[in-house]
mmCIF file of all heavy atoms in Angstrom:
data_model
loop_
_atom_site.group_PDB
_atom_site.id
_atom_site.type_symbol
_atom_site.label_atom_id
_atom_site.label_comp_id
_atom_site.label_asym_id
_atom_site.label_seq_id
_atom_site.Cartn_x
_atom_site.Cartn_y
_atom_site.Cartn_z
ATOM 1 N N SER A 164 -18.732 -3.659 7.365
ATOM 2 C CA SER A 164 -18.738 -5.096 7.601
ATOM 3 C C SER A 164 -20.155 -5.651 7.488
ATOM 4 O O SER A 164 -21.142 -4.915 7.628
ATOM 5 C CB SER A 164 -18.160 -5.426 8.977
ATOM 6 O OG SER A 164 -18.981 -4.919 10.010
ATOM 7 N N VAL A 165 -20.251 -6.958 7.227
ATOM 8 C CA VAL A 165 -21.527 -7.677 7.245
ATOM 9 C C VAL A 165 -21.302 -9.026 7.914
ATOM 10 O O VAL A 165 -20.183 -9.549 7.942
ATOM 11 C CB VAL A 165 -22.114 -7.906 5.829
ATOM 12 C CG1 VAL A 165 -22.442 -6.611 5.143
ATOM 13 C CG2 VAL A 165 -21.190 -8.774 4.990
ATOM 14 N N ARG A 166 -22.395 -9.584 8.454
ATOM 15 C CA ARG A 166 -22.379 -10.943 8.974
ATOM 16 C C ARG A 166 -22.939 -11.873 7.904
ATOM 17 O O ARG A 166 -23.893 -11.529 7.196
ATOM 18 C CB ARG A 166 -23.225 -11.046 10.242
ATOM 19 C CG ARG A 166 -22.605 -10.375 11.444
ATOM 20 C CD ARG A 166 -21.433 -11.147 11.985
ATOM 21 N NE ARG A 166 -21.825 -12.444 12.557
ATOM 22 C CZ ARG A 166 -20.957 -13.369 12.947
ATOM 23 N NH1 ARG A 166 -19.660 -13.168 12.793
ATOM 24 N NH2 ARG A 166 -21.387 -14.509 13.464
ATOM 25 N N VAL A 167 -22.354 -13.047 7.789
ATOM 26 C CA VAL A 167 -22.755 -14.022 6.779
ATOM 27 C C VAL A 167 -23.005 -15.359 7.462
ATOM 28 O O VAL A 167 -22.166 -15.844 8.228
ATOM 29 C CB VAL A 167 -21.660 -14.185 5.700
ATOM 30 C CG1 VAL A 167 -22.078 -15.248 4.683
ATOM 31 C CG2 VAL A 167 -21.383 -12.857 5.018
ATOM 32 N N LYS A 168 -24.161 -15.962 7.157
ATOM 33 C CA LYS A 168 -24.465 -17.311 7.637
ATOM 34 C C LYS A 168 -24.143 -18.290 6.514
ATOM 35 O O LYS A 168 -25.035 -18.829 5.839
ATOM 36 C CB LYS A 168 -25.932 -17.408 8.048
ATOM 37 C CG LYS A 168 -26.289 -16.523 9.233
ATOM 38 C CD LYS A 168 -27.775 -16.629 9.577
ATOM 39 C CE LYS A 168 -28.123 -15.724 10.754
ATOM 40 N NZ LYS A 168 -29.584 -15.786 11.090
ATOM 41 N N GLY A 169 -22.868 -18.452 6.293
ATOM 42 C CA GLY A 169 -22.415 -19.312 5.209
ATOM 43 C C GLY A 169 -20.935 -19.570 5.349
ATOM 44 O O GLY A 169 -20.261 -18.958 6.194
ATOM 45 N N PRO A 170 -20.367 -20.443 4.527
ATOM 46 C CA PRO A 170 -18.954 -20.806 4.634
ATOM 47 C C PRO A 170 -18.021 -19.650 4.278
ATOM 48 O O PRO A 170 -18.254 -18.926 3.300
ATOM 49 C CB PRO A 170 -18.796 -21.964 3.634
ATOM 50 C CG PRO A 170 -20.180 -22.409 3.322
ATOM 51 C CD PRO A 170 -21.053 -21.212 3.481
ATOM 52 N N ALA A 171 -16.973 -19.506 5.066
ATOM 53 C CA ALA A 171 -15.971 -18.471 4.780
ATOM 54 C C ALA A 171 -15.338 -18.683 3.414
ATOM 55 O O ALA A 171 -14.998 -17.719 2.711
ATOM 56 C CB ALA A 171 -14.900 -18.483 5.869
ATOM 57 N N GLU A 172 -15.169 -19.943 2.998
ATOM 58 C CA GLU A 172 -14.527 -20.241 1.723
ATOM 59 C C GLU A 172 -15.313 -19.667 0.548
ATOM 60 O O GLU A 172 -14.723 -19.175 -0.426
ATOM 61 C CB GLU A 172 -14.367 -21.756 1.544
ATOM 62 C CG GLU A 172 -13.411 -22.413 2.524
ATOM 63 C CD GLU A 172 -14.038 -22.658 3.884
ATOM 64 O OE1 GLU A 172 -15.266 -22.434 4.036
ATOM 65 O OE2 GLU A 172 -13.307 -23.068 4.800
ATOM 66 N N LEU A 173 -16.656 -19.725 0.623
ATOM 67 C CA LEU A 173 -17.468 -19.182 -0.465
ATOM 68 C C LEU A 173 -17.386 -17.658 -0.509
ATOM 69 O O LEU A 173 -17.377 -17.066 -1.588
ATOM 70 C CB LEU A 173 -18.922 -19.633 -0.309
ATOM 71 C CG LEU A 173 -19.202 -21.112 -0.572
ATOM 72 C CD1 LEU A 173 -20.676 -21.415 -0.358
ATOM 73 C CD2 LEU A 173 -18.774 -21.506 -1.982
ATOM 74 N N VAL A 174 -17.345 -17.035 0.660
ATOM 75 C CA VAL A 174 -17.202 -15.574 0.701
ATOM 76 C C VAL A 174 -15.865 -15.162 0.104
ATOM 77 O O VAL A 174 -15.778 -14.265 -0.751
ATOM 78 C CB VAL A 174 -17.326 -15.054 2.147
ATOM 79 C CG1 VAL A 174 -17.108 -13.542 2.181
ATOM 80 C CG2 VAL A 174 -18.675 -15.414 2.739
ATOM 81 N N TYR A 175 -14.798 -15.825 0.564
ATOM 82 C CA TYR A 175 -13.465 -15.483 0.060
ATOM 83 C C TYR A 175 -13.385 -15.706 -1.456
ATOM 84 O O TYR A 175 -12.809 -14.889 -2.179
ATOM 85 C CB TYR A 175 -12.401 -16.319 0.769
ATOM 86 C CG TYR A 175 -11.001 -15.998 0.301
ATOM 87 C CD1 TYR A 175 -10.279 -14.962 0.889
ATOM 88 C CD2 TYR A 175 -10.420 -16.684 -0.760
ATOM 89 C CE1 TYR A 175 -9.013 -14.643 0.438
ATOM 90 C CE2 TYR A 175 -9.156 -16.376 -1.218
ATOM 91 C CZ TYR A 175 -8.456 -15.350 -0.605
ATOM 92 O OH TYR A 175 -7.201 -15.021 -1.057
ATOM 93 N N ASN A 176 -13.954 -16.796 -1.927
ATOM 94 C CA ASN A 176 -13.907 -17.089 -3.354
ATOM 95 C C ASN A 176 -14.583 -15.995 -4.170
ATOM 96 O O ASN A 176 -14.088 -15.601 -5.237
ATOM 97 C CB ASN A 176 -14.571 -18.437 -3.635
ATOM 98 C CG ASN A 176 -14.444 -18.841 -5.092
ATOM 99 O OD1 ASN A 176 -13.360 -19.122 -5.574
ATOM 100 N ND2 ASN A 176 -15.569 -18.884 -5.795
#
Side-chain angles (χ1 to χ4, degrees):
S164 65
V165 297
R166 288 287 293 172
V167 178
K168 295 178 181 179
E172 294 80 7
L173 289 179
V174 177
Y175 181 87
N176 185 68

